[in-house]
Amino acid sequence: MAIVTTREAVIEAPERVVVRTAPPGATLGPGEARVRSVVVGICGSDVHAYRGVHPFIDLPVVPGHEVVGIVENVGADVRDLVPGTRVLLEANVVDGTCRYCRAGVYNQCEHLLVVGCQMPGAMADRFVVPAAKLIPVPDDVADDDAAIVEPLASGTHAIRLADGVEGKRVAVLGTGTIGLLTVAAARASGASTIATTDLVGANRERALAMGADAAIDPTAGSQAEVADALRDALGERPDVTFDCVAVQATVDLAVDLAQRGGTVLVLGVPTDRRSVALPLVQDREIRLQGSAMYVRRDVERALEIVRAGGVDIRHLVTGRFSLDDAAEAFAAAATTEHVKVQVYVGEPNNGTAGANAGSATSERTRPSSDRASGSS
């Protein structure tokens, strides 16, 4: 897949990010679009790659898939997308022909490539992807808010896999970006009660601000005591538990916590094998399921939630950096001081942000606004 850019951030090796100048890319192929990046979020997978521990990302890589940008031009056979359109990205590039694609679960495509993971990403002046993977951003959604849609789709996908959460008691283990967005998605989807855990006090406060009813420190007692605290907060064992960390401690807690016939969804990306208390899974008929990325309807649902004001990014975006400061951005994202770090390639259009327009806790100089007005 060709990429045309003047600058691009590259994770060259663990904990080493450089911004380099790249040669012009190839001519667009049929069905492709070239997009000028505006805002790119750093996600948990990007941080795993930065640390050199992501099981499915090889370095070096140009990261970035939580992106909002503007279409610059399109290749042959692109009919539904025109230059100048503001877009966000559905990051899973698939073959469209395997058994999973034919069944509509193309997030499990046998030849899946993820933008910014197995192919060059959007943390660059420009990037190229199949035009079919771009979704127009409504005029009433600001760039900063639109950049949250892609990670929020991981939460809406997991909720759909759980057969919904309306009227259900929900536990969310870990409230980093994906955990916080899962809380927001669960609240928007009608969960009756939401209890969360996180090691970081600031994240527990953010979870409450995002819609959780309780936020518990998992180090405040033994696993049994933490499980008791979650059950007390929920009124009983959860119907659904979302493990957004996937370390051994959260896997153990999720299974121990689950009610008979309950569901455990694993959203966190484990960096290695984990053991599971299989006797409990079998005896209690616990449904244990992984959740990977999303499909288009999950992204569309996430966009609905954002458009309705269901995610207040003041509780989520904690750092903003320019593309030239990408190394600093990744170093910040890898600490517990930050939740969501966004990288600005162009000047974002946040005039429509409304109540969701909030200041972040850490800023770096943004680029001048010439790119926002269409200059290259």
Side-chain angles (χ1 to χ4, degrees):
M1 190 68 60
I3 183 167
V4 177
T5 185
T6 52
R7 297 173 301 162
E8 60 185 16
V10 184
I11 305 174
E12 288 192 328
E15 300 188 6
R16 182 181 178 190
V17 176
V18 299
V19 177
R20 69 187 183 190
T21 300
T27 302
L28 290 177
E32 291 183 333
R34 181 174 292 115
V35 179
R36 176 163 42 87
S37 298
V38 176
V39 182
V40 188
I42 297 178
C43 80
S45 293
D46 295 328
V47 173
H48 284 330
Y50 172 72
R51 290 174 171 154
V53 297
H54 196 292
F56 305 119
I57 300 177
D58 296 325
L59 304 181
V61 66
V62 177
H65 53 264
E66 299 177 3
V67 60
V68 175
I70 298 171
V71 176
E72 282 199 329
N73 43 50
V74 298
D77 301 328
V78 176
R79 300 287 180 265
D80 299 326
L81 196 65
V82 297
T85 304
R86 198 164 53 113
V87 292
L88 58 86
L89 174 67
E90 181 186 356
N92 42 11
V93 177
V94 301
D95 62 30
T97 60
C98 74
R99 59 179 295 187
Y100 303 107
C101 289
R102 295 197 306 271
V105 288
Y106 57 82
N107 59 309
Q108 294 297 318
C109 174
E110 291 178 347
H111 303 102
L112 175 69
L113 298 175
V114 179
V115 177
C117 297
Q118 292 81 40
M119 58 184 289
M123 199 167 289
D125 284 321
R126 292 163 186 82
F127 65 99
V128 173
V129 291
K133 289 296 173 179
L134 298 170
I135 301 172
V137 176
D139 290 341
D140 58 353
V141 178
D143 288 340
D144 279 356
D145 296 315
I148 298 301
V149 169
E150 193 276 344
L152 179 60
S154 294
T156 58
H157 177 70
I159 286 171
R160 183 168 60 80
L161 291 181
D163 298 325
V165 295
E166 185 173 1
K168 295 180 181 179
R169 292 176 170 84
V170 170
V172 178
L173 309 184
T175 50
T177 298
I178 294 301
L180 289 172
L181 289 172
T182 300
V183 168
R187 179 57 68 204
S189 301
S192 65
T193 315
I194 304 171
T196 67
T197 64
D198 201 274
L199 295 169
V200 180
N203 285 355
R204 296 195 295 272
E205 294 176 6
R206 292 182 181 104
L208 296 172
M210 295 285 279
D213 298 289
I216 294 165
D217 181 354
T219 66
S222 66
Q223 178 181 305
E225 290 170 330
V226 173
D228 286 342
L230 286 165
R231 286 194 292 269
D232 289 345
L234 292 170
E236 59 183 60
R237 292 177 182 269
D239 300 287
V240 184
T241 298
F242 297 98
D243 183 352
C244 299
V245 186
V247 296
Q248 190 62 59
T250 57
V251 173
D252 291 342
L253 178 58
V255 172
D256 181 54
L257 186 64
Q259 69 172 349
R260 295 180 183 275
T263 298
V264 174
L265 265 293
V266 180
L267 286 80
V269 178
T271 57
D272 203 345
R273 292 179 179 270
R274 304 285 183 253
S275 63
V276 177
L278 204 55
L280 291 181
V281 172
Q282 180 273 325
D283 186 65
R284 295 181 185 174
E285 293 189 342
I286 297 169
R287 176 186 175 194
L288 178 61
Q289 180 165 355
S291 181
M293 296 196 74
Y294 42 70
V295 295
R296 179 59 65 98
R297 59 176 164 165
D298 303 314
V299 182
E300 292 171 346
R301 171 59 179 150
L303 181 55
E304 287 177 1
I305 292 172
V306 168
R307 196 174 186 185
V311 179
D312 189 338
I313 65 170
R314 289 174 297 185
H315 305 303
L316 191 70
V317 179
T318 57
R320 295 183 170 102
F321 296 80
S322 71
L323 177 61
D324 288 331
D325 294 321
E328 294 178 51
F330 270 90
T335 70
T336 59
E337 296 176 8
H338 286 277
V339 179
K340 173 57 63 183
V341 171
Q342 290 183 337
V343 174
Y344 291 80
V345 184
E347 187 70 15
N349 171 20
N350 287 327
T352 57
N356 284 354
S359 61
T361 61
S362 176
E363 300 261 353
R364 290 292 184 272
T365 303
R366 297 180 190 169
S368 62
S369 59
D370 59 347
R371 292 186 181 85
S373 62
S375 63
S376 58

